[in-house]
Structures are given as C-alpha cells and as structure tokens.
Amino acid sequence: MSRLICVSNRVTPPSTKGAGSQGGLALALGAALRQYRGIWLGWSGHTTPEFTGQLTIQRTAGVTLATVDLEEQDVQEYYNGYANMTLWPLFHHRIDLTAYDRSFGSGYERVNRRFAEVLAPLIEPDDLIWVHDYHLIPLARELRKRGVKNPIGFFLHIPWPARQLLVTLPRHRQLVESLFEYDLVGFHTDEWLDAFHGYVAKEAGGQVLADGRVRAFGRTIRARAFPIGIDAEDFAAIAGSTTAKRSWERMIKSAQGRAMIVGVDRLDYSKGLEERFHGYERFLADNPDLQKHVFLLQIAPPTREDVEEYQEIRQRLEALTGRINGVFSDVDWAPIRYVNHAFRRDELAGVYRAARVGLVTPLRDGMNLVAKEYVAAQDPEDPGVLILSRFAGAARQMREALIVNPYSQEDLSDALKQGLAMPLEERVARWRALMGGVMRDDVVAWRNSFVDALTAVREAPLEELEGLAAPVEPRSFAPDPASAALGLPS
Ligand code: GDG
C-alpha cells in the first residue's frame, strides 16, 4: 500500500473526541486517516516572528502529524484574508461579503509556496498526495515546480461557485489553471462538479469528456464527485456512551415534555441561522396552540472571530434571539435556547438523540455533516425527523428528509409543523432509509473511493488515455439551485 500524504490548513489528532468546533473537514479527515499509514501536514495554528519551515512532528495511531508555524502576516493575508474573506464568501455566493484585496492574494500564494517548501523533501516516490480545500488550491503547482511527479489529488470541501460569480475574482483564470496541476479533483456532489465543468467549458474554452476527464490550459485531469460521510460506526458508538446517555437525560428532563428542535452549526453566515430563526418565528406565529409545546435549541460555537463579518453575525443573532424570546416568552417558557459554546462530541450525540426535529438549513453548504450525525444518533425505535435545506450537498443523498427552501419562512414553518406531527411509523420508515445511506456512504467509503481513483492515476497515466474518449459537447449543465435562488442565469 502506498503511503498517503494529506495536506490541509489545520490538522487534528485522529483520536480527538472531546469538545471543539474544528469544523467538518478536520473531523472527517481525522477519522479517514485513522489506521492509515501516512503523513498529515498543516498549519500549527501558531505564529512565529520569522518563517523557518521547522516541522513539529507527532506520531499517533499510524499517522504522522506534521505542523508548521506561520508568520502573523501569513495568517492575516492567507487565512483570515484570502481563504476566509475572499474564497469562502465567494464560493458560498456571498459576493457582497467578498474582499478582493491584492495583498490577500499574494499572501495566499506565499503560504502555498511555504507549504510546498516544507512538504517536498518529505515525499517519497511511491507516495500519493491528497490536498484538501480552498486554502491550498495552488499547492500542486508549487510542488510540480519543485519536481514532484507523484499523483496529486485535490478535494474541495465547499461548493464550487457558479461561473458568473467566480469571474468576479481577479485572477480567477490563474486560480482555476492551478487546479489543472492536480491529477484528480474531487467535489462533494454532481452539482458542484457541473458548476466546475461550466467554468471549464464556457470560460476556459476547455472540454469535458464523457469519461470524467476534463481538458483545459493544455492539461487533462480527472474530476468527479466523492460525497463525504461521517464516521458512522464511531458516532453510533459515541451515541451509546455513558456521557451521551447522561446528556440525553439532562435534555429530556429540562424539556419537561416539550418537543425539542435542535440546530448545531459553526456560527457562520452560510449556515442560514438568521433565516432559520425567522422561519421558526413564523412557525410560532402560525401555530399559537403549539407555542408552549416546543423549543429550539441552537448550538452555535463561534469561529473565525478575527473576521468582522463573523463578529457581526454573532451580534445580529443575539439581537434576533432576544427579540423573538422577548415577544413570545412566558414566565415558564422561552422559545429559543441559544448557546454560544462548543460541546463535547459525546454530549452532542445525546443532544441530537433527545431532539424530535433536527433543523439543518444552510443557504449553501458543500455537504453538511451535522445532518448525518443527527440521523446516526437517533433511537431506532423512536427516531426524530430531519429537516434539511435543498442547498446542502447532503440533500442530494438524504432524500427521505423533509427538504426545504431555507429562504422561505413559510416553507420552514410548514416543515416544522409536519415534522413535529409526523406519526411514528413514518418517522421510522424515513429514518431507516436515511440511516442505511449514512452507514453505507461513510467516511471510510469516501476515503477509499478517492484513494482508489488517485491510485488509478498511477496505473493509467492520463497521457496514455489521450484520444480514447470523445468530448461531450455541448454538455447540458444542471442549473445550480443556489444560483436560481439568487436569480442568476443558469
Ligand atoms: C466543511 C463544509 C462539509 C459543530 N458544533 C460543535 C461541533 N460541531 C461539528 C459538527 C460537525 C462539524 O462541526 C461541522 O461540519 P459541517 O459539515 O456541518 O460544516 P463545516 O464545518 O462548514 O465543514 C461542509 C465539511 O467541510 C466536510 O467536508 O460537509 O459543507 O462547509 O461534525 O458536529 N462539534 C463539537 N461541539 C460543537 O459544539 N464537538
């Protein structure tokens, strides 16, 4: 078996089970790499006055974690800047929040060079290299410049944007061109893949071939959808732990017979929290008889607190929670419990299990792992109902959820009413179908399918395949529903 070298902005030791809101990527990758031989490289989270490229090495369960410190300016320009103020909002279709500063772009390039500088000497001829997420798109180009010939794959954990929005990015061509230094590029869903194809065919003048290859900028790569899953077995085990049971009991006791609706999200504007609260408010107003029989528990640990938009959304949510609670509360009941800190994973599992409804309503989300965790934590005899935004990648797989348009308060209100009233038989039938998918398409299946596809690159280099497949032109591109929601032409 080849050694697998993973690179992502941050790394998390695979055994981490406790509190934290590291986010989906770090958790999933930690699980994917458990019991795997390889190296996982990333930023340490610390700064140093001057970049030295000195690696801190930690060995755990077969995986070598290698971390490097960055300079303060790197963190400002690459992480807070280009990654979180440019690419994140743009790829989530929030061009109103996107910063287009040149200094961010040059910091991003510099840090990608720095990652390549420290990584290149570690690479052995048989290694497979797997780069993760929008922080590191140009990394393969920098590695190729340093003579690395190994298969290199890239996985994007967030959506690929509609080309009409991507072109607002200065140097968008260079960014996409650098993706063509990879051998394999993966997305969560066909929808994000279609959007990528759209850019390639219509903006870059490239070709999308019938067998999954994509040709542009004088290079041919493979691009495919690899839907990520959770570590379902592990999560089910966590859900059965003593801590999870205690947390479940605590929730049931404090609910006092009321039905709990739960939301768990990093505090991020892409997660649709304000729209969710407005939808819930609408539900309360539409259903006065149900008001005191329900409550919403929203867990929203803050992230990226150095970025202004994240401070602002926190303030807005606090104000909104205060207003809704002020209007609807009684002396013995408040409609929203809003919690701003992270829980341990096992506690979270107990909270999910105690909730009659899991409310997952992002405005745009690569996949969304909370939806899958909610399902995995349910009691098979008395499962809750998942309400899921159609704009989460997960909606492509989790068809048995109640699928909603999170922009519509009425849609949310109707789905809450339907979910809370759903008979046991229907809840069980929907849950069984959802749980089958969560167990089958788990994080190990995701890792295996990506690594197999990357291994195949070595076995059948792309040059040898040249000319085997005819271009599929013109390709019909499925309209991106999020673009449609924004009124964009498809
Ligand atoms: C990115 C993409 C894609 C949340 N609060 C707590 C906590 N969490 C954990 C959840 C879940 C994770 O954070 C969030 O994962 P998501 O997938 O929902 O979202 P992102 O962080 O935005 O992840 C996303 C993912 O990458 C993987 O590719 O699905 O679309 O945006 O695991 O449980 N964990 C703990 N306490 C909390 O309070 N312990």
Side-chain angles (χ1 to χ4, degrees), residues 45-367:
H46 302 299
T47 54
T48 176
E50 198 174 336
F51 180 77
T52 62
Q54 175 80 40
L55 286 171
T56 303
I57 305 285
Q58 191 192 339
R59 284 197 178 74
T60 146
V63 179
T64 301
L65 300 178
T67 54
V68 66
D69 296 348
L70 293 174
E71 289 173 17
E72 183 57 37
Q73 191 183 353
D74 292 338
V75 177
Q76 287 310 330
E77 294 174 352
Y78 145 83
Y79 180 67
N80 290 331
Y82 205 74
N84 289 336
M85 291 168 74
T86 303
L87 294 182
W88 176 274
L90 175 60
F91 280 41
H92 287 88
H93 285 185
R94 291 298 305 268
I95 53 170
D96 56 324
L97 301 180
T98 303
Y100 296 100
D101 304 33
R102 283 189 187 157
S103 63
F104 292 170
S106 58
Y108 181 72
E109 297 285 337
R110 181 176 65 249
V111 170
N112 272 272
R113 279 197 301 278
R114 291 183 161 176
F115 268 69
E117 216 172 275
V118 296
L119 176 59
L122 305 179
I123 298 170
E124 294 171 9
D126 270 353
D127 291 343
L128 299 172
I129 302 160
W130 189 5
V131 177
H132 291 263
D133 232 3
Y134 58 101
H135 314 83
L136 298 171
I137 293 172
L139 186 59
R141 187 191 62 208
E142 294 304 323
L143 289 170
R144 299 291 185 218
K145 278 188 198 160
R146 287 162 179 77
V148 174
K149 302 242 170 349
N150 304 49
I152 314 181
F154 177 82
F155 189 83
L156 185 69
H157 289 258
I158 63 175
W160 185 267
R163 91 191 137 80
Q164 294 90 337
L165 297 186
L166 183 51
V167 296
T168 64
L169 182 72
R171 298 173 61 79
H172 56 88
R173 266 184 90 85
Q174 283 86 344
L175 187 77
V176 179
E177 185 173 4
S178 65
L179 264 184
F180 280 75
E181 296 291 341
Y182 291 92
D183 298 289
L184 174 67
V185 173
F187 302 92
H188 281 311
T189 67
D190 281 338
E191 198 179 321
W192 315 143
L193 177 65
D194 277 351
F196 174 67
H197 285 164
Y199 181 97
V200 169
K202 295 189 175 161
E203 191 63 38
Q207 287 174 318
V208 176
L209 306 183
D211 60 359
R213 286 181 295 142
V214 180
R215 198 177 281 162
F217 308 104
R219 297 225 348 126
T220 305
I221 61 170
R222 289 177 172 90
R224 247 184 67 188
F226 299 89
I228 201 169
I230 60 165
D231 192 353
E233 219 170 281
D234 186 64
F235 201 80
I238 289 176
S241 68
T242 316
T243 311
K245 280 186 189 136
R246 247 189 259 124
S247 149
W248 177 83
E249 277 162 12
R250 185 175 163 207
M251 288 318 308
I252 295 294
K253 199 167 157 213
S254 87
Q256 297 185 316
R258 297 181 172 112
M260 175 164 88
I261 302 161
V262 76
V264 177
D265 310 78
R266 284 185 308 99
L267 188 39
D268 191 295
Y269 48 80
S270 68
K271 302 295 181 184
L273 292 164
E274 288 170 270
E275 290 75 5
R276 183 181 309 171
F277 282 20
H278 283 302
Y280 176 61
E281 183 182 19
R282 175 73 191 235
F283 163 80
L284 293 173
D286 286 351
N287 301 280
D289 51 322
L290 292 178
Q291 276 179 16
K292 288 178 95 179
H293 299 284
V294 299
F295 69 97
L296 168 65
L297 169 65
Q298 177 63 55
I299 297 174
T303 49
R304 306 177 189 171
E305 291 169 275
D306 292 338
V307 178
E308 202 180 315
E309 283 72 28
Y310 288 76
Q311 297 157 7
E312 287 171 4
I313 190 193
R314 184 171 180 171
Q315 285 166 7
R316 286 202 305 274
L317 271 172
E318 279 166 7
L320 191 54
T321 307
R323 188 180 61 72
I324 296 173
N325 275 345
V327 170
F328 291 95
S329 289
D330 207 336
V331 286
D332 55 356
W333 170 74
I336 301 180
R337 297 183 191 178
Y338 176 55
V339 183
N340 251 175
H341 63 84
F343 284 74
R344 290 170 50 99
R345 273 181 87 61
D346 40 15
E347 286 174 335
L348 206 54
V351 173
Y352 284 139
R353 198 178 176 98
R356 173 43 52 90
V357 171
L359 196 50
V360 183
T361 56
L363 303 180
R364 188 167 164 88
D365 212 337
M367 174 57 74

Side-chain angles (χ1 to χ4, degrees), residues 270-271 276 359-365 367-368 371 386-396 401-407 412:
S270 68
K271 302 295 181 184
R276 183 181 309 171
L359 196 50
V360 183
T361 56
L363 303 180
R364 188 167 164 88
D365 212 337
M367 174 57 74
N368 193 294
L386 175 66
I387 297 181
L388 180 60
S389 160
R390 62 168 295 174
F391 303 125
R396 297 265 149 164
L402 296 182
I403 304 292
V404 291
N405 172 1
Y407 292 96
L412 285 175

